[in-house]
Amino acid sequence: MDPEAKKQTLRLLTYGLYILTAADKGEVVAGTVNWLSQASFAPPLVMVAVKRDSRLHALIEGSRAFAVNILGANQKEIASAFFRPSQVENGRINGYPFEPGPQTAAPLLIDLPAWFEARVTDTVKRGDHTVFVAEVINAGLRDLQAKPLEMWDTGWYYGG
Ligand SMILES: Cc1cc2nc3c(=O)[nH]c(=O)nc-3n(C[C@H](O)[C@H](O)[C@H](O)COP(=O)(O)O)c2cc1C
């Protein structure tokens, strides 16, 4: 395989951008991810690939649950605030207000247009990211008009 062709081809895959969150034993964490997709209608399953050495990975493994906050098209700046480690202060995580998810306690970011909570059903540990398959158990829409942030429009890459 030509490594450059592999890199450039995989970089043509299209993605959204999401803030993935989790809560376990009193700790909360949030990080921006793009490797996420729906994977079944019934039951409603999603899959997300999470870096093995991250706090996100540790808390999702511990709680067997997570929440996904969907970024709006104009929220690139919020996405960039969650590339760095999570810091919680005065009801805010990395500067943004949140509330605990009703089913999972994972942070739901109040400024983002939509969210869902999911419970992990399967874990595929291979390579430098783990794929968590999870069932969607709760969802909410804060802004019906919102359009999602698309990776291609940001000029960022995570893949290749
Ligand atoms: C554009 C971009 C996309 C990212 N996508 C993912 C992803 O799909 N999965 C993942 O585990 N980390 C992804 N990351 C890395 C996380 O945002 C970052 O490692 C995490 O927020 C830091 O979390 P930690 O403090 O838990 O290590 C991405 C980073 C960037 C810059």
Side-chain angles (χ1 to χ4, degrees):
M1 179 166 67
D2 173 354
E4 194 55 26
K6 186 259 304 170
K7 181 168 101 183
Q8 296 304 338
T9 301
L10 290 178
R11 284 186 172 188
L12 289 174
L13 292 173
T14 54
Y15 298 104
L17 276 162
Y18 314 95
I19 300 180
L20 179 67
T21 67
D24 191 36
K25 301 179 189 80
E27 191 186 346
V28 294
V29 66
T32 298
V33 302
N34 63 308
W35 286 352
L36 185 148
S37 176
Q38 183 162 359
S40 162
F41 282 120
L45 299 178
V46 293
M47 55 190 179
V48 60
V50 181
K51 197 149 56 97
R52 281 189 81 155
D53 60 2
S54 65
R55 291 306 299 154
L56 266 173
H57 193 284
L59 269 66
I60 293 172
E61 261 202 323
S63 63
R64 310 273 306 157
F66 57 79
V68 173
N69 296 267
I70 297 171
L71 286 150
N74 58 354
Q75 294 183 321
K76 183 177 176 185
E77 196 179 309
I78 303 183
S80 62
F82 290 89
F83 294 140
R84 52 175 193 266
S86 298
Q87 275 190 310
V88 179
E89 220 172 28
N90 300 326
R92 290 171 178 256
I93 188 160
N94 291 12
Y96 294 93
F98 70 98
E99 57 192 7
Q103 308 277 341
T104 63
L108 304 181
L109 290 150
I110 289 160
D111 296 338
L112 272 58
W115 55 268
F116 62 81
E117 296 181 280
R119 242 183 242 306
V120 172
T121 58
D122 302 271
T123 301
V124 182
K125 278 197 169 170
R126 196 171 302 281
D128 49 18
H129 285 59
T130 291
V131 177
F132 293 106
V133 177
E135 181 165 352
V136 176
I137 52 169
N138 195 15
L141 260 180
R142 300 182 198 276
D143 178 0
L144 284 167
Q145 313 301 326
K147 296 225 178 348
L149 181 62
E150 294 180 58
M151 183 83 157
W152 189 257
D153 294 336
T154 65
W156 297 332
Y157 290 107
Y158 193 81

